[in-house]
């Protein structure tokens, strides 16, 4: 977010510096917290222990706060009861001593007040704790000076509010105040009470330090805090141990499952005891054993199937050769036969071609399945290969009314490939495009960059339904089995093409939309063994996406090089 233009330049510069500082700080903090977040996501035990610690800390903290506050209140109530009882006796004694004086101007009254305070202080059982007794007259009885048993300033303890409460209501009042005594803060429980006399209003104040109660309350809080921390740590340890008992078998199951997925089918979990985790381990082992048996059985069936396909393909070669020789002889003499017999000879020749193509495809598939397919790579120019494929399929395209539009660069496109396999892939792609082209043009485009070459074959026929772009490379799969086919394919062409592309370390991909045709893209690395990252041509046709600069697709491809065949 940019700073508003109306701000002064120094302010905007400062804001930019602050934004940059915060961004850098946020990135550093993110890098610092990344290991913790990663461990939090990966470790179930860490999450359980952390949540247990947080929940137990909240519960123990709330309980400890309640216990500490309740204990402090109980101690204060007990001190209040004791002080209130002592206060009643002191008021009674002071009233009896002062009642002998009938008027405030009695010269002996001040001495009696001093003596009474001294006696009340000496009789105080809590004197060693620092209790203070203060006897004073109200503002209308000025003949009596206030007397305090201790040499200390009581103005912070005996406040104006307390004095007003005692003098106005004539009742006992109390408050808890804190004052500085001997250089430290001390909490006092202050009681004030009127003393009945015959000459005026006298007030007695009793100040008791709550040092003992505060110390006891602090000890209780410390005990509760230490006990709570110990309890939280103990709960964390217990949660960690309990979680470990559950997490370890789960981790063992995860590791065993990973080994099974890697192909180590003999891996099993260790079964200890007869509890639920042991039942889980036993069930997992049973599942793994069943899975191993099924995989072994399927592998055996697949091996037998591959062997059967290979054996049948090879065994059929001999009778096919004999039949082919006889069929070629009959086909060469067909002009001497009746029209019906001549037509039968032509059909026999065509079906033998299809049968031989099927055997060739089956043999190629069996080599791929057995892992015997080898790449005979060499540096070759793809331009003549693409042109040769287009030339060979021109006759078929003319019969079905399809025009082949060839777009290749003027310069050679050299790549390390197996020319025979790449020509077979392109022949399959172009043949399928012609077959499904619905009489519309088919575009064949070749492009390259520094790392890859790509060939796209675009038709405008029936297209592919959503999801079928992944099925077209399955063996014997057809988008519409009911359609009349012109080329007599075996249903293995695209599957073999995909294997050829994979053998080169390349990609063979498909795109299609119903009624909008389809496009297949073959992408190969320029150097054999290199890893593909991107393709020079897009998979989705350019007529389906917004127009882009052709130089962004391929700097060496120009529309002037398009050739219509």
């Amino acid at each position: 977010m940019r700073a508003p233009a109306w701000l002064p330049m120094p302010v905007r510069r400062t804001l930019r510096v602050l934004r940059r500082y915060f961004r850098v700080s946020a990135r550093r903090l993110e890098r610092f917290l990344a290991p913790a977040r990663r461990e939090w996501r990966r470790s179930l035990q860490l999450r359980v222990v952390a949540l247990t610690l947080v929940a137990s800390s909240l519960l123990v903290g709330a309980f400890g706060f309640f216990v500490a506050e309740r204990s402090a209140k109980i101690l204060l109530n007990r001190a209040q009861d004791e002080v209130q009882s002592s206060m009643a006796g002191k008021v009674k004694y002071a009233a009896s001593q002062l009642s002998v004086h009938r008027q405030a101007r009695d010269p002996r009254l001040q001495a009696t007040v001093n003596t009474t305070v001294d006696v009340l202080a000496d009789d105080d059982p809590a004197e060693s704790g620092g209790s203070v007794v203060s006897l004073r007259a109200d503002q209308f009885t000025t003949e009596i000076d206030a007397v305090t048993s201790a040499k200390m300033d009581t103005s912070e303890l005996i406040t104006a509010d307390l004095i007003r409460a005692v003098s106005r209501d004539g009742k006992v009042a109390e408050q808890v105040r804190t004052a500085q005594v001997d250089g430290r803060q001390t909490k006092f429980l202050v009681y004030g009470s009127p003393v009945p006399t015959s000459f005026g209003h006298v007030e007695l104040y009793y100040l008791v330090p709550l040092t003992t109660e505060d110390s006891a309350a602090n000890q209780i809080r410390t005990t509760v805090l230490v006990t709570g921390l110990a309890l939280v740590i103990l709960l964390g340890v217990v949660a960690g141990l309990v979680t470990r008992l559950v997490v370890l078998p789960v981790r063992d199951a995860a590791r065993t499952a990973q080994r099974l997925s890697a192909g180590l089918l003999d891996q099993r979990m260790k079964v200890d005891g007869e509890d639920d985790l042991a039942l889980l381990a036993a069930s997992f082992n049973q599942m793994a054993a069943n899975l191993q048996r099924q995989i072994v059985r399927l592998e055996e069936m697949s091996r037998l199937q591959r062997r059967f396909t290979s054996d049948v393909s090879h065994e059929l070669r001999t009778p096919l050769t004999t039949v082919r020789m006889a069929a070629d002889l009959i086909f060469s003499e067909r002009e001497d036969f009746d029209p019906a017999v001549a037509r039968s000879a032509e059909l026999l020749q065509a079906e033998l071609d299809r049968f031989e193509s099927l055997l060739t495809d089956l043999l190629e598939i069996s080599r791929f399945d057995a892992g015997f397919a080898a790449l005979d790579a060499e540096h070759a120019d793809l331009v003549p290969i693409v042109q040769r494929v287009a030339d060979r399929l021109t006759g078929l395209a003319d019969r079905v009314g399809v025009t082949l539009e060839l777009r290749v660069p003027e310069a050679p496109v050299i790549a390390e490939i197996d020319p025979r396999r790449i020509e077979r892939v392109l022949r399959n792609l172009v043949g399928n495009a012609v077959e499904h082209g619905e009489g519309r043009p088919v575009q064949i485009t070749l492009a390259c960059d520094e790392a890859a070459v790509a060939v796209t074959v675009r038709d405008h026929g029936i297209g592919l339904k959503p999801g079928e772009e992944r099925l077209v490379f399955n063996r014997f799969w057809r988008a519409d089995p009911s359609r009349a086919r012109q080329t007599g394919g075996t249903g293995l062409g695209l599957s073999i093409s995909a294997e050829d592309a994979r053998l080169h370390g390349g990609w063979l991909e498909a795109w299609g939309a119903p009624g909008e045709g389809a496009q297949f893209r073959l992408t190969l690395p320029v150097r054999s063994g290199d890893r593909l990252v991107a393709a020079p041509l897009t998979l989705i046709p350019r007529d389906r996406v917004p127009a882009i600069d052709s130089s962004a697709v391929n700097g060496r491809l120009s529309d002037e090089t398009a050739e219509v065949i």
Side-chain angles (χ1 to χ4, degrees):
M1 181 178 178
R2 299 178 60 87
W6 52 266
L7 288 176
M9 181 57 68
V11 176
R12 283 187 287 173
R13 188 178 297 110
T14 303
L15 290 177
R16 285 197 296 270
V17 172
L18 289 177
R19 282 199 302 270
R20 189 179 303 111
Y21 172 76
F22 284 126
R23 283 198 298 267
V24 172
S25 300
R27 285 196 294 269
R28 290 178 180 176
L29 181 62
E30 185 177 358
R31 286 196 297 268
F32 178 75
L33 296 178
R37 289 202 306 270
R38 184 166 54 251
E39 188 66 23
W40 176 267
R41 290 194 303 267
R42 292 180 177 179
S43 178
L44 175 62
Q45 185 176 9
L46 175 62
R47 292 198 300 271
V48 171
V49 172
L51 293 176
T52 301
L53 289 176
V54 171
S56 60
S57 298
L58 293 177
L59 292 176
V60 171
F63 178 75
F65 178 78
F66 172 77
V67 170
E69 291 300 318
R70 186 62 181 171
S71 300
K73 189 172 182 180
I74 291 174
L75 293 173
L76 180 60
N77 291 338
R78 188 181 64 179
Q80 288 174 338
D81 293 339
E82 293 178 355
V83 173
Q84 191 172 5
S85 176
S86 178
M87 184 69 177
K90 294 180 183 299
V91 170
K92 184 178 180 181
Y93 177 79
S96 65
Q97 294 298 315
L98 297 177
S99 61
V100 299
H101 302 281
R102 297 300 180 183
Q103 55 183 349
R105 293 182 176 86
D106 191 342
R108 295 173 298 175
L109 179 58
Q110 187 64 50
T112 303
V113 170
N114 295 339
T115 303
T116 302
V117 170
D118 293 338
V119 171
L120 292 177
D122 292 338
D123 292 343
D124 185 7
E127 176 67 21
S128 59
S131 298
V132 179
V133 177
S134 178
L135 192 62
R136 64 182 63 190
D138 62 3
Q139 58 181 347
F140 301 105
T141 312
T142 56
E143 289 79 1
I144 303 176
D145 295 331
V147 180
T148 303
S149 62
K151 302 299 183 181
M152 60 179 292
D153 183 12
T154 61
S155 60
E156 296 183 8
L157 300 175
I158 305 176
T159 62
D161 293 336
L162 180 63
I163 295 174
R164 281 196 300 270
V166 174
S167 61
R168 182 183 58 190
D169 300 333
K171 296 181 179 179
V172 178
E174 65 173 288
Q175 64 180 9
V176 177
R177 298 286 296 175
T178 301
Q180 191 82 13
V181 177
D182 296 334
R184 61 179 181 178
Q185 295 289 332
T186 305
K187 186 182 294 184
F188 281 85
L189 177 60
V190 182
Y191 265 81
S193 175
V195 178
T197 62
S198 57
F199 55 83
H201 188 78
V202 178
E203 301 162 3
L204 176 65
Y205 294 95
Y206 186 33
L207 296 79
V208 179
L210 297 177
T211 306
T212 303
E213 287 74 9
D214 274 351
S215 177
N218 290 334
Q219 291 179 359
I220 293 174
R221 293 190 185 96
T222 304
T223 303
V224 170
L225 178 61
V226 173
T227 305
L229 290 176
L231 182 60
V232 169
I233 295 174
L234 180 61
L235 288 175
V237 173
V238 172
L241 294 176
V242 173
T243 309
R244 182 181 176 84
L245 294 176
V246 179
V247 169
L248 284 181
V250 174
R251 290 178 180 172
D252 188 20
R255 287 192 295 267
T256 306
Q258 290 175 350
R259 297 190 188 102
L260 288 174
S261 65
L264 304 176
L265 301 179
D266 58 341
Q267 297 295 311
R268 297 293 183 271
M269 290 182 62
K270 184 179 179 181
V271 180
D272 291 328
E274 300 178 356
D275 54 8
D276 294 336
L277 294 176
L279 178 61
L280 172 63
S283 301
F284 185 91
N285 292 339
Q286 183 65 31
M287 178 194 67
N290 293 336
L291 182 63
Q292 183 181 14
R293 285 194 295 269
Q294 292 292 333
I295 292 176
V296 170
R297 186 172 66 87
L298 291 175
E299 288 180 348
E300 182 65 20
M301 292 177 60
S302 178
R303 186 184 65 82
L304 293 175
Q305 181 183 10
R306 291 194 300 269
R307 182 176 178 182
F308 174 78
T309 302
S310 179
D311 292 346
V312 168
S313 301
H314 283 88
E315 293 299 328
L316 288 178
R317 278 291 183 183
T318 301
L320 177 62
T321 302
T322 304
V323 175
R324 165 66 73 181
M325 293 173 62
D328 288 343
L329 180 61
I330 296 173
F331 184 77
S332 64
E333 301 293 336
R334 67 185 183 280
E335 294 180 356
D336 299 334
F337 300 150
D338 294 335
V341 177
R343 178 58 181 164
S344 298
E346 293 175 356
L347 292 176
L348 176 62
Q349 187 76 6
E351 292 304 317
L352 281 175
D353 290 339
R354 288 187 58 199
F355 188 47
E356 188 173 8
S357 177
L358 175 60
L359 284 181
T360 302
D361 289 345
L362 288 175
L363 284 172
E364 191 67 21
I365 285 292
S366 66
R367 281 192 288 268
F368 280 119
D369 290 340
F372 294 151
L375 186 67
D376 188 11
E378 61 183 48
H379 288 88
D381 185 4
L382 271 80
V383 173
I385 295 177
V386 174
Q387 292 174 341
R388 186 164 56 248
V389 170
D391 291 339
R392 291 180 179 178
L393 291 174
T394 299
L396 174 63
D398 291 340
R399 287 197 300 272
V400 297
V402 172
T403 301
L404 296 181
E405 299 178 359
L406 189 61
R407 293 183 173 92
V408 295
E410 296 179 354
V413 178
I414 306 299
E416 194 174 357
I417 59 172
D418 187 337
R420 180 183 63 86
R421 295 183 182 276
I422 297 304
E423 185 173 346
R424 179 170 61 188
V425 172
L426 296 178
R427 190 168 57 249
N428 285 326
L429 296 180
V430 177
N432 284 338
V434 170
E435 178 185 353
H436 300 89
E438 300 292 332
R440 300 185 180 94
V442 172
Q443 290 91 26
I444 306 169
T445 306
L446 172 64
C448 70
D449 57 21
E450 292 78 5
V453 297
V455 181
T456 59
V457 179
R458 171 78 160 106
D459 67 76
H460 301 81
I462 60 175
L464 297 173
K465 299 177 182 178
E468 290 183 347
E469 66 275 1
R470 294 186 296 272
L471 301 176
V472 292
F473 302 109
N474 292 346
R475 298 175 185 181
F476 303 107
W477 185 88
R478 295 187 185 278
D480 187 1
S482 64
R483 295 184 73 252
R485 293 178 288 108
Q486 302 292 332
T487 59
T490 63
L492 296 173
L494 289 179
S495 177
I496 295 175
S497 299
E499 294 292 344
D500 283 333
R502 192 176 299 112
L503 193 62
H504 282 80
W507 305 330
L508 183 56
E509 303 160 284
W511 169 89
E516 300 185 34
Q519 176 163 294
F520 287 79
R521 181 180 68 180
L522 172 65
T523 310
L524 303 171
V526 172
R527 290 168 292 276
S528 180
D530 287 356
R531 181 175 178 271
L532 286 178
V533 177
L537 295 174
T538 59
L539 177 61
I540 301 176
R542 290 196 296 177
D543 54 10
R544 283 296 310 275
V545 298
I548 57 176
D549 185 5
S550 59
S551 62
V553 178
N554 180 21
R556 302 195 301 175
L557 179 63
S558 61
D559 292 338
E560 287 77 14
T561 60
E563 177 184 357
V564 179
I565 299 178

